[in-house]
C-alpha cells in the first residue's frame, strides 16, 4: 500500500513523463501489430514481413531507453532515509519502479491493441471506408495469441531494463580509494568559507577568478575520461562502410528486399552504436576544451560539469545524433513512395524522434538532480545565479557546436552515392 501511494503521489512532471512512456509504448505496439497485419495479408512473402518486424526493433529500443531514463529520474522510487525501516529498501524500491514501468508500458500496449482492433473493424465496423484493410488484414481472422506475444515484448523488456539499471549496488568504494573518497566527501561537506575579497586577491589575477577557482576545484571535481571511445569510432566506421555497400542497391527497393533492407538496418544500428559509445568521450572533450587557455570561473565551471556528466549526457546526445543523421540521410536518398514504410512510416518517425528528444530532456533533468547538492553548495558560498545560468548556456553552446556539424557530416557520408 505504501509503495502504491509513493507511485500515485508523484508530481505532475513525473506523471507526464510516465504518460510519455505509455504513449511511446502505444506507438511501438501499433507498429508491431501493423507488421503482424502485413504478414497476415502477404503470407507468400515471409522475408519482407520479417524485415518489417525487424525494423520495429528501432522504435522498441527507443521506447525502452526512454522508460529507463524516466525511471531513473523518478524521485518517488529513490532510496531515502527512513524508508528501509518500513520495508522499502533499495531492492523494494527497484521493484516498485520496475512495476510502475511495466504498468505504463502495458497501458500503452492495450491502447495500441484497442486502436488496431477498431481500425480493423472488429469492434465498431470498418472505419475510413476500409482504406486501412491492406496492412490491417481485416479480411483475415485476428491471431490473438500472436498479438499478445508481440505486445508483451515491450513491457517485459522495459521493466527488465529498469530493474537492471536500478538494481542495488555495493555502496563500499573500490579497494584503495576508500580513504580518498571519504576525505573528499568530508571536504566537500565542510567547505564553508566565502570567496576572498578583491583586496585579498593578487593584483595580476581578477577577483572573480581568484575567488572561485579553488572553490570549483572542490565542488565539481574532474573525472576520468569515459571508456569506449575507440570502440565507438570503430563501430561508426563499420556502420558507414556497410551503408556505402548497401547504397549500391536502388533506393526504391532497399526496404522492399530482405537482404538489402537487412543490410541497411544493420548499418544504421552499427552507426547508432558507434555514436552512443563515442558521444561520452566527445562530451568529455568539450569540457576539456572549455577549460583550456587560462579559463575563468565561468568556463571552469562549465567544463567541470561537462566532464563529470559526460556519460549521463553524452549517450542520449549520441542517440539523438544517430536518429537525426539517419532521418536526414533517408530524406536525401529515399524520396520515392516505395521506400516508405507504408502507412506506419509517420508513426515510426514520431515514436523514434519523440523518444530520443524526450530521453535527452529526461537525462538533462537527471543531471540537474545529480548536481543539486553542488549547486546548493555554490549558492551558499556566494556564487551568483548569473554565473550558474551562464555556465548552462556555455555548456549547451559547446555541445551544439560539436554535435551539429558531426550529425550533418554523418548524414552526408551516409547519403553519398556509390562510385564505381
Amino acid at each position: 500500500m505504501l509503495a502504491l501511494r509513493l507511485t500515485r503521489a508523484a508530481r505532475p512532471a513525473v506523471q507526464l513523463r510516465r504518460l510519455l512512456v505509455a504513449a511511446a509504448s502505444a506507438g511501438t505496439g501499433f507498429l508491431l501489430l501493423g507488421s503482424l497485419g502485413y504478414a497476415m495479408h502477404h503470407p507468400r512473402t515471409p522475408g519482407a514481413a520479417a524485415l518489417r518486424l525487424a525494423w520495429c526493433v528501432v522504435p522498441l529500443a527507443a521506447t525502452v531507453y526512454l522508460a529507463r531514463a524516466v525511471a531513473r529520474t523518478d524521485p518517488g522510487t529513490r532510496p531515502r532515509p527512513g524508508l528501509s525501516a518500513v520495508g522499502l529498501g533499495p531492492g523494494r524500491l527497484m521493484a516498485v519502479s520496475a512495476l510502475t514501468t511495466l504498468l505504463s508500458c502495458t497501458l500503452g500496449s492495450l491502447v495500441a491493441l484497442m486502436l488496431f482492433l477498431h481500425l480493423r473493424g472488429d469492434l465498431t465496423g470498418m472505419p475510413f471506408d476500409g482504406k486501412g484493410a491492406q496492412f490491417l488484414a481485416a479480411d483475415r481472422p485476428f491471431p490473438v495469441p500472436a498479438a499478445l506475444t508481440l505486445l508483451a515484448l515491450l513491457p517485459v523488456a522495459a521493466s527488465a531494463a529498469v530493474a537492471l539499471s536500478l538494481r542495488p549496488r555495493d555502496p563500499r568504494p573500490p579497494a584503495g580509494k576508500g580513504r580518498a573518497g571519504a576525505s573528499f566527501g568530508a571536504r566537500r561537506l565542510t567547505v564553508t568559507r566565502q570567496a576572498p575579497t578583491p583586496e585579498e586577491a593578487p593584483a595580476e589575477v581578477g577577483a572573480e577568478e581568484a575567488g572561485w577557482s579553488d572553490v570549483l576545484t572542490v565542488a565539481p571535481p574532474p573525472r576520468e575520461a569515459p571508456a569506449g571511445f575507440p570502440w565507438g569510432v570503430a563501430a561508426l566506421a563499420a556502420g558507414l562502410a556497410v551503408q556505402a555497400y548497401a547504397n549500391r542497391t536502388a533506393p526504391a527497393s532497399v526496404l522492399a528486399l530482405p537482404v538489402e533492407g537487412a543490410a541497411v538496418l544493420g548499418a544504421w544500428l552499427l552507426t547508432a552504436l558507434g555514436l552512443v559509445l563515442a558521444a561520452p568521450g566527445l562530451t568529455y572533450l568539450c569540457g576539456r576544451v572549455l577549460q583550456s587557455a587560462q579559463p575563468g570561473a565561468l568556463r571552469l565551471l562549465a567544463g567541470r560539469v561537462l566532464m563529470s556528466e559526460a556519460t549521463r549526457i553524452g549517450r542520449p546526445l549520441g542517440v539523438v545524433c544517430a536518429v537525426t543523421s539517419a532521418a536526414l540521410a533517408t530524406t536525401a536518398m529515399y524520396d520515392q513512395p516505395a521506400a516508405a514504410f507504408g502507412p506506419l512510416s509517420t508513426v515510426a518517425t514520431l515514436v523514434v524522434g519523440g523518444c530520443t528528444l524526450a530521453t535527452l530532456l529526461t537525462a538533462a533533468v537527471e543531471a540537474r538532480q545529480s548536481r543539486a547538492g553542488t549547486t546548493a553548495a555554490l549558492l551558499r558560498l556566494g556564487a551568483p545565479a548569473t554565473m550558474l545560468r551562464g555556465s548552462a548556456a556555455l555548456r549547451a553552446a559547446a555541445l551544439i557546436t560539436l554535435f551539429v556539424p558531426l550529425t550533418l557530416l554523418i548524414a552526408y557520408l551516409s547519403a553519398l552515392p556509390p562510385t564505381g
Side-chain angles (χ1 to χ4, degrees), residues 50-403:
L51 177 61
R52 289 174 179 267
L53 183 61
W55 274 100
C56 293
V57 173
V58 178
L60 190 145
T63 306
V64 170
Y65 196 44
L66 174 61
R68 174 184 173 273
V70 169
R72 287 173 61 92
T73 58
D74 191 349
T77 56
R78 188 173 302 167
R80 286 170 290 178
L83 291 181
S84 298
V86 295
L88 286 177
R92 184 68 63 84
L93 289 178
M94 178 270 293
V96 170
S97 183
L99 179 60
T100 303
T101 303
L102 180 66
L103 293 177
S104 300
C105 295
T106 303
L107 175 62
S109 299
L110 290 178
V111 171
L113 179 61
M114 293 297 103
L115 179 60
F116 190 82
L117 293 178
H118 172 70
L119 294 178
R120 276 175 49 91
D122 295 339
L123 299 180
T124 58
M126 181 63 65
F128 307 118
D129 298 330
K131 294 182 179 179
Q134 182 176 2
F135 72 97
L136 299 176
D139 55 341
R140 297 179 180 273
F142 185 67
V144 178
L148 294 180
T149 301
L150 288 177
L151 291 178
L153 292 177
L154 179 58
V156 172
S159 58
V162 170
L164 183 63
S165 177
L166 301 181
R167 69 187 186 277
R169 295 177 174 86
D170 190 0
R172 293 175 298 179
K177 297 184 179 180
R179 305 285 299 181
S183 62
F184 167 73
R187 185 183 180 189
R188 184 174 64 177
L189 291 177
T190 56
V191 170
T192 56
R193 73 173 188 84
Q194 296 291 333
T197 60
E199 291 78 8
E200 298 174 352
E204 65 274 7
V205 182
E208 182 181 4
E209 285 76 4
W212 293 109
S213 296
D214 54 345
V215 174
L216 294 177
T217 302
V218 177
R223 297 184 180 179
E224 297 181 356
F229 181 77
W231 294 103
V233 174
L236 180 60
L240 293 176
V242 175
Q243 285 186 14
Y245 171 79
N247 288 347
R248 295 187 301 177
T249 308
S253 62
V254 167
L255 297 182
L257 299 178
V259 177
E260 288 76 6
V264 173
L265 176 60
W268 283 358
L269 291 179
L270 270 177
T271 303
L273 177 62
L275 287 171
V276 170
L277 292 177
L282 295 175
T283 305
Y284 188 88
L285 178 62
C286 286
R288 292 294 299 269
V289 171
L290 285 177
Q291 298 179 79
S292 61
Q294 297 180 355
L298 184 62
R299 287 198 292 135
L300 185 61
L301 177 60
R304 289 292 174 85
V305 171
L306 278 181
M307 292 171 65
S308 62
E309 298 175 355
T311 302
R312 183 181 290 111
I313 296 295
R315 288 176 179 173
L317 273 175
V319 174
V320 172
C321 182
V323 172
T324 306
S325 61
L328 293 176
T330 305
T331 304
M333 293 177 58
Y334 308 133
D335 54 352
Q336 302 183 21
F341 201 62
L344 304 178
S345 57
T346 303
V347 178
T349 303
L350 291 177
V351 169
V352 176
C355 285
T356 53
L357 291 178
T359 303
L360 180 60
L361 295 177
T362 305
V365 172
E366 182 185 2
R368 183 177 180 182
Q369 292 175 353
S370 65
R371 65 173 183 270
T374 301
T375 303
L378 290 175
L379 291 176
R380 287 195 305 268
L381 291 171
T386 55
M387 185 178 73
L388 300 179
R389 290 193 295 266
S391 173
L394 188 58
R395 294 195 303 269
L399 294 176
I400 290 174
T401 303
L402 176 63
F403 280 94

